[in-house]
């Protein structure tokens, strides 16, 4: 395993392919095929693409490299909205370098990367109208007027980034979920599941991806 440091962002690179946040000491995606994990956790966990319909709205905590958005774009054939909340945006060159690890996602990433390099946080990616809201989610989520049909809860590990998994944040997630809306996340941490239940979700523990034994998903009741 090799590690190199990126001077332009708070990153190190594991095996010259996987970006690791030095702020949170956590990788941006799974070392065990991040695209496959995205499909298992966030797409299957929210029963996508089966639930997609015109105007369906996906929201996300933790934009990172945009891999979840790209995975969604690969299965989306109807107009869909996507809103993500990100406190520490990566430079476009770092995102491009990370996505080179996933040729399938990288092939559809150019419109996003072009917009991102220009500082644009609203852009079109195939059938998806995307917006990335920058800033501390403890403030930006509360101020958001939207409601999502499905949530991708993809912040760094609750042990490393507890602020993004607090009861207050997860209550805001529920408040910004459409009736019958869903969430999925890679973590099965007990305090996260309890906070989501307290916020109004019926929470289920499901088999995780790869070496992760469990994940969580649920529906707003």
């Amino acid at each position: 395993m090799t590690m190199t440091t990126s001077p332009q962002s708070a990153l190190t690179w594991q095996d010259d392919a996987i970006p690791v946040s030095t702020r949170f000491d956590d990788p941006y995606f799974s070392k065990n095929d991040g695209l496959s994990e995205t499909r298992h956790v966030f797409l299957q966990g929210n029963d996508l693409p089966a639930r997609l319909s015109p105007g369906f709205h996906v929201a996300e905590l933790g934009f990172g490299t945009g891999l979840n958005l790209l995975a969604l774009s690969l299965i989306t054939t109807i107009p869909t909205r996507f809103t993500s909340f990100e406190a520490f945006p990566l430079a476009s060159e770092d995102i491009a370098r990370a996505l080179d690890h996933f040729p399938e996602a990288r092939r559809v990433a150019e419109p996003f990367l072009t917009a991102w390099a220009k500082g644009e946080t609203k852009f079109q990616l195939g059938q998806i109208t995307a917006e990335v809201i920058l800033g501390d989610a403890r403030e930006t989520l509360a101020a958001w007027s939207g409601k999502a049909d499905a949530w991708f809860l993809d912040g760094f590990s609750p042990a490393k980034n507890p602020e993004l998994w607090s009861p207050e944040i997860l209550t805001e997630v529920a408040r910004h979920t459409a009736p019958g809306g869903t969430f999925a996340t890679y973590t099965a941490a007990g305090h996260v599941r309890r906070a989501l239940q307290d916020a109004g979700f019926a929470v289920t523990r499901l088999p995780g991806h790869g070496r992760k034994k469990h994940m969580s998903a649920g529906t707003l009741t």
Side-chain angles (χ1 to χ4, degrees), residues 80-160:
T80 303
R81 292 177 291 165
F82 182 91
T83 303
S84 187
F85 296 84
E86 175 60 57
F88 305 104
L90 294 177
S92 58
E93 56 266 32
D94 287 328
I95 293 176
R97 178 179 172 183
L99 293 178
D100 284 342
H101 192 56
F102 306 103
E104 187 180 3
R106 184 64 178 83
R107 281 195 295 271
V108 299
E110 208 55 45
F112 152 51
L113 291 172
T114 298
W116 202 253
K118 296 177 182 177
E120 298 172 0
T121 56
K122 295 182 180 181
F123 50 91
Q124 194 72 25
L125 185 66
Q127 292 284 346
I128 299 176
T129 300
E131 178 180 13
V132 182
I133 298 175
L134 303 180
D136 190 326
R138 289 172 292 186
E139 300 171 358
T140 55
L141 178 54
W144 186 46
S145 62
K147 288 199 172 187
D149 298 293
W151 276 94
F152 298 171
L153 303 183
D154 196 25
F156 290 111
S157 162
K160 304 289 182 68

